[in-house]
Amino acid sequence: MNTRVELPGLNLKNPVMPASGCFGFGREFAQFYDLSHLGAVIMKAATGGKRFGNVTPRVAETSSGMLNAIGLQNPGVEGIIAKEIPFLETYPTPIIANVAGSTVEEYVSVAEKLSETSVSAFELNISCPNVKEGGVQFGTDPFLAENVVREVKDVSDVPVYVKLSPNVADIVSMAEACAKAGADGLSMINTLTGMRIDPKTRRPIIANKTGGLSGPAIKPVAIRMIYQVYEAVDLPIIGMGGIETVDDIIEYLLAGASAVAIGSANFKNPLVCKELIDQLPEGLKKYGFESVNDAIGGAHDETYSSSISRS
Amino acid sequence: MQREWMRIVKHTEVARDTYQLILNGDVAQHVREPGQFVHVQVSQEYFLRRPVSIADVNQDESTITLLYKVMGKGTNALTGKKAGDFIDVLGPGGKGFPLHDLNTQQALLIGGGIGVPPLHYLGKKLKEKGVQVTSVLGFQTKEDAFYVEKFKELGKVFVTTNDGSLGTKGFVTNVLPDLKDRIDTFFSCGPTVMLRAVKEEMCDVPGYISIEERMGCGIGACFACVVESNDDQGYRKICCDGPVFRPDEVILP
């Protein structure tokens, strides 16, 4: 079974990678399995300086998912270049750097510095719902998104994937703005802004009050958005949101994703990425696919649907 | 650290809403220090794992003992598990009380509520090393108290309850002034508000505190359970740098 996928800047041996923010910089998961198995690694967000993130509690459980408001805590781009990238370079696995910032200048500066390293691609994080400045502001206004993508593209030596926020009324216009600015691909979706309140304390459970909802609860939203964007915009998509099984991966491929990222499922089972990579060939075969490429965008193939209904 | 389906050997209620789980599996062979925890998956229905401290280890029988309190739906669902069932456990995690580095003769254990269990395994290990152990255990009421007899096997025990239904009425800090001159190291685990009061009361005595916080991954990757630190790093991750810290190492929220 051929599980290879070619994307701009990424020659993936399989389409499965851990999602940014749910895998740190890989060290913790390396005690459970060899990171060489992964299609790629998407690093935790890099900002210009160190960020200490939000006040705790930062997570809360929800039905079929979780809320988080970490607040982009990271050692800063210099720290990541000095300590984290060298560790990931010991594996023959492409590295995707998640680039974040509060201003356009910060995004540009982080991308410039990371362009000097061995990373294979950027995931431009214009969709973090848990930071007061920047983040989701860029991801909810097509004009701001287009501007920051263009500025980052200007200084980037590697392809730029833009991580879209689902917290918008019109996801297609956001994707079109990124395409217009020269984005090489999209990654979708980031978390949905949510909130929980504890009846005992009468207060929000997360100190930040709101957090980003992830997990199986958001999968139908992600599938819908990917399906819509695939029809409207000619850019490859890395899909994510609540993936826990091989059937989930296939659903994303059929909607139009060329690869997938696994997020909060890593918290339930630290071995989940490796287990799904191992199970993927059999899963594809079960539904009659001969390769990963065979499944990509399959839900848009109306001739296939009509042939089924006729038979 | 490993993921393992551990077999439930025994599951009993030891106080109001407080349960003892004895689990059999390889994880028991990997516990290095008292104060470490396991991350338990209640079922697929509950998304996040629950960190539970280790109250005892029997390496000959390959068992660990956990105590947990019913705090919500997830922990309530855990009460339905029976002996013979298997439970998804990730562990042992974190850094515990650094016994090998300790030079102590008179130890004081200060536990509050569901912070008491890890001190039990610590107390056993200290006693094995010939350390004199005194314990102060704080509970809300008599109905919430557990393991008092087990701590009596380790040394002298003082119990406090908020309503005075057992032991001294009040908080653990009510009895500390009379004890602190007689000990050389304290070890405390309990709610943050208690740890803050203990830290203040015991400021001139060397010691260790064990902190709890909501966790995401439990292995150090997600940065959910951080606590502010007193150094350039600015934070510690409770799940992997802790849960045990020196009191001056961290700033309690």
Side-chain angles (χ1 to χ4, degrees), chain A residues 2 6-7 20 26 36 67 80 86 90 112 122 138 147 158 182 190 198 200 222 256 300 310:
Chain A
N2 181 8
E6 291 280 348
L7 293 175
S20 180
S36 306
L67 288 173
I80 290 168
T90 62
E112 270 181 323
F122 292 152
F138 291 101
N147 184 41
V158 294
N190 207 319
D198 183 345
K200 282 182 221 151
H300 302 265
R310 277 199 301 273

Side-chain angles (χ1 to χ4, degrees), chain A residues 33-111:
Chain A
Y33 62 91
D34 181 353
L35 304 186
S36 306
H37 290 282
L38 297 167
V41 172
I42 311 183
M43 291 195 297
K44 185 165 171 57
T47 54
K50 283 183 193 174
R51 280 187 72 108
F52 294 124
N54 295 324
V55 176
T56 56
R58 294 174 167 187
V59 292
E61 188 173 69
T62 69
S63 303
S64 287
M66 63 177 278
L67 288 173
N68 89 81
I70 307 298
L72 296 182
Q73 180 157 8
N74 79 96
V77 65
E78 307 280 5
I80 290 168
I81 291 170
K83 288 188 183 160
E84 308 299 349
I85 293 178
F87 166 75
L88 286 170
E89 280 172 343
T90 62
Y91 297 92
T93 303
I95 304 167
I96 302 175
N98 184 286
V99 174
S102 300
T103 61
V104 174
E105 291 73 27
E106 187 178 359
Y107 279 102
V108 168
S109 159
V110 172

Side-chain angles (χ1 to χ4, degrees), chain B residues 133-227:
Chain B
V133 175
T134 304
S135 306
V136 180
L137 311 178
F139 302 99
Q140 285 193 334
T141 71
K142 185 181 176 183
E143 286 74 32
D144 299 302
F146 59 88
Y147 267 34
V148 175
E149 294 305 313
K150 283 181 180 285
F151 276 85
K152 281 184 182 167
E153 291 168 17
L154 306 174
K156 204 165 171 50
V157 177
F158 298 85
V159 176
T160 68
T161 48
N162 297 8
D163 63 357
S165 53
L166 184 68
T168 305
K169 184 176 180 178
F171 302 113
V172 290
T173 40
N174 292 116
V175 298
L176 296 183
D178 293 338
L179 299 173
K180 68 180 191 180
D181 293 338
R182 294 185 241 160
I183 58 113
D184 54 40
T185 315
F186 77 91
F187 303 86
S188 190
C189 183
T192 305
V193 61
M194 185 200 93
L195 292 179
R196 244 192 339 253
V198 167
K199 185 176 165 177
E200 194 174 325
E201 180 64 42
M202 306 296 281
C203 61
D204 45 1
V205 182
Y208 295 89
I209 55 174
S210 179
I211 305 174
E212 61 176 33
E213 182 55 84
R214 283 170 187 271
M215 290 183 185
C217 65
I219 61 173
C222 76
F223 288 76
C225 62
V226 296
V227 60

